[in-house]
Amino acid sequence: MLDILSYLPAKRKQSPNGWLSFNAVCCQHNGDSPDKRGRGGIKVTEQGWSYHCFNCSYTASFILGRNLSFKARRLLGWMGVPENEIERVNLESLKHRNIHGILEQRQQVFQALSNISFEEYDDFPPYSEVITPDYPLYWDYIRKRGVPEDYPMMTAIKNNGIHWVRPFVLVPFTWNDKVVGWTARFLDNKIPKYINHTQPGYVFGTDLQHESWTQAIVVEGIFDALSIGGLAVMHNTVSDAQARLIRSLGKEITVVPDQDKAGLELIDRAVELGWAVSIPDWPDHIKDVNDAVIEYGRLGTLLTIMQAKETSKIKIELRKKQLVKRLRD
Ligand SMILES: [Zn+2]
């Protein structure tokens, strides 16, 4: 396989979550000035690599067994990989085509045919950069909320080390490894608490799902999804477009509503869609999946969810009544 690291700029920095950062090679080709602050990142795995620029937001990835995408070819060109070498990488990769790759390509074709796609949206606030342990205020906050270390959360810090306007953590929204929006959660107690840039029909967390998982857990909030590897619909209901997208993943679906009045609506919608519902009997102070992960850890929470999973409409109604009673008491 191509040793992509040998084409990177000499000056690089290894981050604890496996990203290698260096001056991005993409920005000047996308109408931006050249990066001088090491905002290009690459993560190499046995299966391939993925590239993300936090300056001009260019992304590209490669998985052994697949065709090199247009974006990956452009990136390799900018890195100085010769054209004939790029062609050789592609041919070499196709020798590794396997059943997972073929199935995933079919899924992508299905999604394209069902008109499921999102525009690239990568307009981040000024001074945005990925949160690392160098910024304890933000780093500790996202660790405390159970966000996996390899999810690129962002904030905005000015050169003098002071945050930009208000302190926030920003969660990039991705779809097939491209950035299609984001939400910023402010850490002060002022209003608004969130700023969102999302697109109709978007579901957060598709890129958190593993090919080998047979189950998908649908939750309301971004942090719920991040802390458990679930899908977030970001409301207490599921739109028709979101339902189509979730179905297109081809997994068994279980909805876990927030344990509050608003969550009741999500239960009704799940029943309507014929999906399983889980309302674990958590103590009063645990209102959602994220609270549960903070208390029981990821595995403990998954166990309570799987134990309380109901597929029959009658049993779901019964669990819902118990929840209503708990909320009243
Ligand atoms: Zn760039």
Side-chain angles (χ1 to χ4, degrees):
M1 197 163 78
L2 172 79
D3 179 18
I4 190 167
L5 299 181
S6 67
Y7 287 96
L8 296 182
K11 213 182 124 203
R12 321 160 186 179
K13 207 173 112 192
Q14 181 77 50
S15 82
N17 54 14
W19 287 85
L20 201 60
S21 60
F22 48 88
N23 284 339
V25 297
C26 41
C27 317
Q28 60 269 44
H29 304 282
N30 298 313
D32 260 289
S33 47
D35 174 33
K36 289 182 183 146
R37 299 179 55 199
R39 298 217 250 180
I42 198 158
K43 197 169 187 173
V44 178
T45 65
E46 263 174 41
Q47 290 305 309
W49 48 262
S50 75
Y51 174 89
H52 197 132
C53 173
F54 288 97
N55 189 39
C56 75
S57 299
Y58 193 83
T59 60
S61 60
F62 167 68
I63 295 173
L64 196 64
R66 314 269 175 87
N67 272 305
L68 265 175
S69 68
F70 177 65
K71 293 183 86 178
R73 283 169 185 269
R74 285 177 78 201
L75 180 74
L76 292 176
W78 297 333
M79 284 179 173
V81 182
E83 194 61 40
N84 59 352
E85 179 69 12
I86 294 176
E87 231 22 79
R88 203 188 56 75
V89 170
N90 195 43
L91 286 174
E92 184 64 28
S93 172
L94 294 181
K95 286 187 195 154
H96 291 87
R97 258 169 86 86
N98 61 24
I99 186 72
H100 292 299
I102 294 168
L103 288 177
E104 196 160 304
Q105 261 172 10
R106 280 187 52 182
Q107 183 197 319
Q108 282 172 4
V109 169
F110 175 81
Q111 287 172 346
L113 290 174
S114 331
N115 258 329
I116 301 172
S117 71
F118 301 98
E119 296 286 307
E120 196 146 357
Y121 180 89
D122 41 27
D123 218 355
F124 294 121
Y127 307 104
S128 290
E129 54 185 289
V130 174
I131 298 170
T132 65
D134 296 340
Y135 302 115
L137 170 68
Y138 305 98
W139 182 259
D140 293 349
Y141 175 81
I142 58 183
R143 290 286 81 76
K144 207 178 73 204
R145 298 281 312 254
V147 174
E149 286 205 356
D150 60 356
Y151 197 87
M153 306 283 284
M154 299 171 76
T155 190
I157 309 275
K158 289 203 274 195
N159 295 337
N160 56 8
I162 294 174
H163 55 74
W164 177 71
V165 192
R166 290 173 63 194
F168 64 79
V169 296
L170 181 151
V171 187
F173 293 168
T174 64
W175 169 253
N176 290 339
D177 291 327
K178 111 188 145 185
V179 177
V180 298
W182 49 266
T183 183
R185 190 208 191 274
F186 291 105
L187 302 187
D188 54 18
N189 289 319
K190 294 182 191 144
I191 293 204
K193 206 166 151 189
Y194 289 94
I195 294 182
N196 292 313
H197 285 278
T198 187
Q199 301 181 38
Y202 180 70
V203 174
F204 176 83
T206 54
D207 292 333
L208 300 172
Q209 309 303 304
H210 287 218
E211 265 169 45
S212 59
W213 293 355
T214 56
Q215 310 286 321
I217 293 173
V218 174
V219 292
E220 291 181 34
I222 303 289
F223 283 94
D224 301 319
L226 278 169
S227 61
I228 208 164
L231 299 166
V233 288
M234 301 183 275
H235 302 283
N236 61 343
T237 187
V238 185
S239 71
D240 290 342
Q242 286 181 316
R244 249 192 332 268
L245 186 156
I246 292 169
R247 286 207 179 97
S248 82
L249 302 174
K251 308 206 186 254
E252 252 180 75
I253 304 156
T254 303
V255 175
V256 186
D258 283 0
Q259 299 200 355
D260 57 20
K261 264 203 186 118
L264 300 174
E265 198 180 324
L266 187 61
I267 300 172
D268 295 339
R269 180 62 172 148
V271 169
E272 204 175 287
L273 290 164
W275 293 348
V277 173
S278 173
I279 310 171
D281 196 3
W282 292 324
D284 282 350
H285 64 282
I286 295 182
K287 294 290 178 203
D288 58 32
V289 167
N290 193 232
D291 290 347
V293 170
I294 292 166
E295 182 114 347
Y296 305 125
R298 188 170 164 136
L299 189 60
T301 303
L302 278 169
L303 285 172
T304 63
I305 290 173
M306 283 306 152
Q307 274 162 2
K309 176 178 166 180
E310 300 291 358
T311 48
S312 100
K313 192 178 163 181
I314 296 168
K315 286 192 177 160
I316 295 171
E317 293 296 344
L318 196 70
R319 292 273 194 170
K320 183 182 157 195
K321 276 194 193 126
Q322 290 166 345
L323 175 63
V324 170
K325 187 170 176 301
R326 259 195 288 149
L327 291 175
R328 252 201 327 253
D329 293 343

